[in-house]
Amino acid sequence: RDSLIKGTISYNFIDSEIGQIPFSKTGNNSTFSLRPEIFSIDFTQKSTLKGIVKDIYYLGNSQEVDVLMNEKLITISINSDILMEKEQEIFLVVNEEKIILI
């Protein structure tokens, strides 16, 4: 599943509907594709991208987690060793190299 996010590229970040995503490329796109596997959990809780776990789907070695971020539901895919609970607040990091401009 893709999560299509609307936003504007600013200096070193995308100002998006889910928060500010670090991004060093230039462009004027307003829609970005963030695949579930490009997200990772920020255990230091320093990321500005935070959300609330809404649903968890266990898929063997991985799990897909629906996260509500600024009233937008996105899906992330992470290792099933990471314990999640519904309604838990989590902080996310995005691998900016894998952001797709649409």
Side-chain angles (χ1 to χ4, degrees), residues 7 10 12 14 16 18-19 23 25-26 34 36 39 43 45 54 59-62 64 68 86 91 94 98 100:
S10 296
N12 285 332
I14 298 170
S16 80
I18 64 168
F23 192 70
K25 299 174 188 169
T26 58
L34 305 178
F39 291 92
F43 293 103
Q45 300 184 350
K54 290 298 177 183
L59 307 169
N61 289 334
S62 68
E64 287 194 348
L68 186 63
K86 285 186 180 183
F91 295 80
V94 175
K98 299 199 175 180
I100 299 169

Side-chain angles (χ1 to χ4, degrees), residues 19-36:
Q20 288 188 344
I21 302 168
F23 192 70
S24 58
K25 299 174 188 169
T26 58
N28 58 4
N29 298 63
S30 61
T31 304
F32 308 87
S33 174
L34 305 178
R35 295 203 34 88

Side-chain angles (χ1 to χ4, degrees), residues 5 9-10 28 32 44 52-53 57 74 76 80 86 93 100:
I5 305 295
I9 297 175
S10 296
N28 58 4
F32 308 87
T44 67
I52 303 294
V53 173
Y57 308 95
I74 64 156
I76 66 170
S80 60
K86 285 186 180 183
V93 177
I100 299 169

Side-chain angles (χ1 to χ4, degrees), residues 40-41 43 56 58 63 65 78-84 88:
S40 58
I41 304 295
F43 293 103
I56 304 164
Y58 296 99
Q63 59 186 322
V65 181
I78 57 174
N79 190 300
S80 60
D81 292 342
I82 300 171
L83 298 177
M84 295 274 132
Q88 173 183 348

